[in-house]
PDB file of all heavy atoms in Angstrom:
ATOM      1  N   LYS A  44      27.401   8.919  -3.564  1.00  0.00           N
ATOM      2  CA  LYS A  44      26.585   9.986  -4.279  1.00  0.00           C
ATOM      3  C   LYS A  44      25.777   9.209  -5.320  1.00  0.00           C
ATOM      4  O   LYS A  44      24.561   9.540  -5.518  1.00  0.00           O
ATOM      5  CB  LYS A  44      27.498  11.041  -4.982  1.00  0.00           C
ATOM      6  CG  LYS A  44      26.830  12.133  -5.471  1.00  0.00           C
ATOM      7  CD  LYS A  44      27.803  13.304  -5.775  1.00  0.00           C
ATOM      8  CE  LYS A  44      27.287  14.476  -6.453  1.00  0.00           C
ATOM      9  NZ  LYS A  44      26.905  14.258  -7.817  1.00  0.00           N
ATOM     10  N   PRO A 207      11.930 -19.502  14.711  1.00  0.00           N
ATOM     11  CA  PRO A 207      10.657 -18.625  14.555  1.00  0.00           C
ATOM     12  C   PRO A 207       9.423 -19.397  14.416  1.00  0.00           C
ATOM     13  O   PRO A 207       9.442 -20.517  14.073  1.00  0.00           O
ATOM     14  CB  PRO A 207      10.993 -17.944  13.276  1.00  0.00           C
ATOM     15  CG  PRO A 207      12.265 -18.422  12.744  1.00  0.00           C
ATOM     16  CD  PRO A 207      12.825 -19.442  13.634  1.00  0.00           C
ATOM     17  N   GLY A 215      -6.537  -7.844  14.958  1.00  0.00           N
ATOM     18  CA  GLY A 215      -6.285  -6.413  14.809  1.00  0.00           C
ATOM     19  C   GLY A 215      -7.270  -5.451  15.539  1.00  0.00           C
ATOM     20  O   GLY A 215      -7.057  -4.287  15.598  1.00  0.00           O
ATOM     21  N   PHE A 232     -10.443 -19.785  16.588  1.00  0.00           N
ATOM     22  CA  PHE A 232     -10.122 -18.508  15.817  1.00  0.00           C
ATOM     23  C   PHE A 232     -10.624 -18.590  14.374  1.00  0.00           C
ATOM     24  O   PHE A 232     -11.262 -17.613  13.917  1.00  0.00           O
ATOM     25  CB  PHE A 232      -8.657 -18.344  15.795  1.00  0.00           C
ATOM     26  CG  PHE A 232      -8.155 -16.963  15.291  1.00  0.00           C
ATOM     27  CD1 PHE A 232      -8.112 -15.846  16.218  1.00  0.00           C
ATOM     28  CD2 PHE A 232      -7.869 -16.786  13.995  1.00  0.00           C
ATOM     29  CE1 PHE A 232      -7.796 -14.621  15.739  1.00  0.00           C
ATOM     30  CE2 PHE A 232      -7.474 -15.448  13.547  1.00  0.00           C
ATOM     31  CZ  PHE A 232      -7.368 -14.444  14.424  1.00  0.00           C
TER      32      PHE A 232
END
Side-chain angles (χ1 to χ4, degrees):
K44 190 164 174 291
F232 190 84

